[in-house]
Amino acid sequence: MARDVKSKLSKNLLRMKFMQRGLDSETKKQLEEEEKKIISEEHWFLDLPELKEKESLIIEERSFVMCEDLRYGRMSFKGFNPEVEKLMIQMNSRYKTEDIKEEKNAMEADVSDEEMARRYETLVGTIGKKFLKKRDRHVLQDPTEDESSDRRPSKVKKVFLKPQD
Amino acid sequence: MAGAAACLAETRVGQVVMPGEALLLPGQGEADGERLRLTATGPQKGRLICGPGLRRGGADLLVTKCGLLRYRGPSAQAGSASGSSSGGTYWVDSQQKRYVPVKGDHVIGIVTAKAGDIFKLDVGGSEQASLSYLAFEGATKRNRPNVQVGDLIYGQFIVANKDMEPEMVCIDSSSRANGMGVIGQDGFLFKVSLGLIRKLLAPDCEIIWDLGQLYPFELVLGMNGRIWVKAKTVQQTLILANVLEACEHMTAEQRKQVITKLLEN
């Protein structure tokens, strides 16, 4: 008796979430199938024979750059624009490997290792300070203060002077 | 297509080809035995590239421009960036003056208008190219690049096809300028044929290196046939421009003579 009542329920009602629990597997399947049918009917498709995907071995390339292996279009000579000269080496690196090595040596010459070391020397202190706590920073500064004490004695000697009466 | 006129692409390399001609490829449109032989040699079978002036027409190639048919073997290709292609490249070496935008080409454009978010650039093509103000290195919505109407811009096409407006950018895929952007003040811009530009940009070009021995100068070559030169003085700039323009129809010896003459002065 109860079954008959259930079958009389409308499909839309059966599809609702709270009705799903009570459904048996058969009706569930039926509903799902119907749903799928509706979805597939809604899809459009072209009434054409299936196109055969042929593996094409030909690639179209519209650019001369790839075909003729053209170089990069910015150039500078005899140090007119050093930035572009660096770029030239970088961009055209795949053409002339020997030339690059020569030019690289010339490029390195403008900042010598010594100068580099000298510049970093000052950096080590300032960057190092950043990673220290305030208490430690004081310790770090102490030795430098000793050196600079003769330069700036006024800073050290700032003590409260008791007025004489 | 003209089946009778079609001939093997290999036999036409270095010869003049005309639009409409069909070029057959080995192993395709031939006997089955040939095809089998081609597939049997697994690694040899590579993708063939048809370059400018050619079009894919079914199994063979169709010529769309007139010029000399060129071929570059897969061995040379392997060294270049597109290493995946191992079937060689065919293209037509043609002489033309009208530039047709091609994706990936580096060109020199002239700013003709500033329209809100984009700049309009004259690149010598049929249509003006658009360039977003965000497509510069370090540009943000707040930090606009300083580009004025009339400026020269060296950039790269990212959209270029026959149906759409060409679009340019001044950054590469890693959003670095790499020499692209506004070309500095002064200098001299002139136009040459597209063939000459390719000649000058060829990896084994001696013209540029010969000129490089003269005096310091800077050069920007756009694939659209525009050349921008700048040297220390106006006179030197003009000499360079004249030599570059003239060298299209000079032999190597004539050019050497000119350069030695300039070196003496």
Side-chain angles (χ1 to χ4, degrees), chain A residues 51-66:
Chain A
L51 280 170
K52 269 184 201 164
E53 271 292 326
K54 241 172 127 183
E55 200 202 358
S56 176
L57 289 171
I58 307 171
I59 305 164
E60 282 195 31
E61 172 67 55
R62 291 275 74 104
S63 172
F64 277 108
V65 180
M66 274 291 150

Side-chain angles (χ1 to χ4, degrees), chain B residues 146-168:
Chain B
N146 183 22
V147 179
Q148 305 300 328
V149 172
D151 277 356
L152 298 181
I153 285 184
Y154 188 61
Q156 191 181 17
F157 280 111
I158 52 160
V159 173
N161 56 50
K162 59 185 178 186
D163 305 313
M164 284 163 71
E165 181 187 41
E167 193 181 333
M168 284 172 68

Side-chain angles (χ1 to χ4, degrees), chain B residues 187-209:
Chain B
F188 182 61
L189 182 84
F190 59 103
K191 206 172 174 306
V192 296
S193 74
L194 301 187
L196 179 60
I197 287 288
R198 290 199 323 244
K199 199 166 143 189
L200 293 171
L201 283 175
D204 52 352
C205 171
E206 288 175 353
I207 303 168
I208 301 276
W209 298 117

Side-chain angles (χ1 to χ4, degrees), chain B residues 33-47:
Chain B
E34 186 84 9
R35 196 174 299 164
L36 278 175
R37 192 187 58 77
L38 198 81
T39 47
T41 54
Q44 285 295 313
K45 186 186 111 182
R47 288 181 182 273

Side-chain angles (χ1 to χ4, degrees), chain A:
Chain A
M1 194 64 201
R3 242 186 120 81
D4 291 349
V5 174
K6 219 182 235 174
S7 61
K8 271 171 201 163
L9 289 169
S10 83
K11 272 169 199 159
N12 281 332
L13 185 62
L14 285 175
R15 221 171 274 156
M16 282 177 177
K17 202 132 205 186
F18 68 91
M19 294 297 287
Q20 304 259 316
R21 265 175 288 157
L23 288 177
D24 48 15
S25 60
E26 214 169 290
T27 39
K28 236 184 205 173
K29 256 184 204 166
Q30 222 174 345
L31 280 174
E32 264 174 37
E33 264 171 40
E34 267 172 46
E35 217 163 292
K36 266 184 196 168
K37 215 178 179 182
I38 291 164
I39 289 169
S40 64
E41 271 172 9
E42 275 175 359
H43 276 279
W44 292 7
F45 62 94
L46 287 173
D47 198 12
L48 286 173
E50 256 184 64
L51 280 170
K52 269 184 201 164
E53 271 292 326
K54 241 172 127 183
E55 200 202 358
S56 176
L57 289 171
I58 307 171
I59 305 164
E60 282 195 31
E61 172 67 55
R62 291 275 74 104
S63 172
F64 277 108
V65 180
M66 274 291 150
C67 299
E68 298 189 358
D69 235 349
L70 299 180
R71 281 178 300 149
Y72 188 61
R74 287 204 79 162
M75 301 171 190
S76 160
F77 295 95
K78 295 204 167 184
F80 189 83
N81 191 341
E83 229 172 89
V84 173
E85 261 172 53
K86 257 183 218 169
L87 203 73
M88 261 169 84
I89 296 164
Q90 193 190 321
M91 299 297 273
N92 300 329
S93 56
R94 54 199 172 113
Y95 304 111
K96 290 184 181 173
T97 32
E98 316 101 58
D99 281 17
I100 295 158
K101 276 174 200 160
E102 286 168 30
E103 280 173 67
K104 234 180 201 169
N105 291 337
M107 276 299 175
E108 277 168 1
D110 55 38
V111 178
S112 66
D113 294 346
E114 272 177 51
E115 198 187 339
M116 187 92 160
R118 220 182 309 132
R119 289 201 180 177
Y120 270 115
E121 219 170 28
T122 55
L123 263 181
V124 169
T126 27
I127 299 289
K129 231 189 263 172
K130 217 176 168 183
F131 295 101
L132 286 175
K133 282 178 189 167
K134 266 198 178 158
R135 219 177 293 157
D136 302 329
R137 219 178 274 179
H138 186 71
V139 177
L140 190 92
Q141 276 171 352
D142 266 346
T144 54
E145 240 165 71
D146 293 340
E147 282 172 29
S148 59
S149 57
D150 51 322
R151 231 195 306 163
R152 287 179 295 171
S154 58
K155 205 174 178 183
V156 189
K157 281 174 187 171
K158 254 184 190 170
V159 212
F160 181 71
L161 296 171
K162 219 174 182 181
Q164 293 166 343
D165 43 3

